Amino acid sequence: METIRYCKQIYPSPLGDISIVTSQKTLHGLWFWDQRHKEAKVDELQMVRTPLHEQVFHWLDAYFSGNFLTLDIELAHSGTPFQEAVWAQLREIPLGKTKTYKEIGNQLGCSSSQAIGNAVSRNPFSILVPCHRVIGTNGSLKGYAGGLARKNWLLQHEGYFEKEKICIPSTNIQTVQPVKRP
């Protein structure tokens, strides 16, 4: 059996460092350094920069500059069939739009918003597979593995609040400052 060599690089985003894990031709993950479920199912990481890292860095530079490009790269399939189905639904949410956990559940024939939420929280491709675009049925921001302040920032950055009214719990959302590792 061939061993997959995982290569890791850190991207310094305005929202804190993002860990980017690839093999030679496949993206295995894009996580905020402090988010839940970070770097799950990858081990023996080497700090090596690949051409795929360059593509992801370019995409992230454009994204954070307000230029929303598409990124056509191979994503590793690391979830259960249910998780993969949920993540496929996330990829269908257009920029500046949202879906509720319930809407995604209805599309998949699943009545459990909690099951949908659990699958969304394990998305290994933060920002790229836009789990931040999933909100509660009442329009409120609900959990995000990278934190609600980041979710709020990402939705603002993508222009969502200009088009829709959303309920933001004021006690949970603060202005996001660049996060540095302790």
Side-chain angles (χ1 to χ4, degrees):
M1 186 170 127
E2 184 180 328
T3 303
I4 297 174
R5 181 176 155 204
Y6 295 109
C7 303
K8 175 179 175 176
Q9 287 291 290
I10 303 296
Y11 178 85
S13 87
L15 300 178
D17 289 347
I18 296 175
S19 173
I20 303 166
V21 176
T22 71
S23 55
Q24 286 300 325
K25 297 181 180 179
T26 306
L27 180 64
H28 290 268
L30 191 75
W31 300 273
F32 286 105
W33 71 270
D34 60 346
Q35 83 177 51
R36 292 178 292 155
H37 314 301
K38 171 182 77 152
E39 296 173 7
K41 299 185 182 182
V42 294
D43 54 6
E44 298 185 31
L45 294 168
Q46 298 178 349
M47 295 300 286
V48 176
R49 195 164 186 154
T50 67
L52 191 52
H53 284 111
E54 295 298 329
Q55 288 181 279
V56 176
F57 270 57
H58 174 74
W59 183 84
L60 287 167
D61 285 344
Y63 177 88
F64 285 112
S65 296
N67 298 315
F68 304 111
L69 307 174
T70 58
L71 181 62
D72 186 24
I73 58 172
E74 183 179 339
L75 303 179
H77 296 281
S78 60
T80 66
F82 179 73
Q83 289 171 333
E84 293 287 343
V86 171
W87 301 340
Q89 290 294 313
L90 300 178
R91 288 191 292 275
E92 299 299 318
I93 306 172
L95 182 74
K97 300 287 184 185
T98 61
K99 278 190 179 178
T100 67
Y101 295 94
K102 185 176 183 176
E103 288 172 327
I104 293 171
N106 289 342
Q107 290 175 317
L108 296 175
C110 175
S111 61
S112 172
S113 292
Q114 183 176 2
I116 299 298
N118 285 336
V120 168
S121 76
R122 295 197 178 266
N123 166 28
F125 304 105
S126 293
I127 306 172
L128 182 60
V129 175
C131 51
H132 60 278
R133 296 181 191 155
V134 182
I135 61 174
T137 302
N138 66 355
S140 64
L141 295 184
K142 297 289 183 188
Y144 179 61
L148 286 178
R150 284 189 182 122
K151 183 173 190 167
N152 181 59
W153 191 97
L154 293 166
L155 289 171
Q156 280 185 326
H157 181 63
E158 294 177 354
Y160 175 68
F161 294 115
E162 296 169 9
K163 298 172 185 159
E164 305 288 339
K165 181 173 170 47
I166 191 167
C167 173
I168 303 171
S170 60
T171 58
N172 293 335
I173 303 296
Q174 300 173 357
T175 303
V176 176
Q177 299 297 322
V179 180
K180 296 295 177 194
R181 249 179 243 208

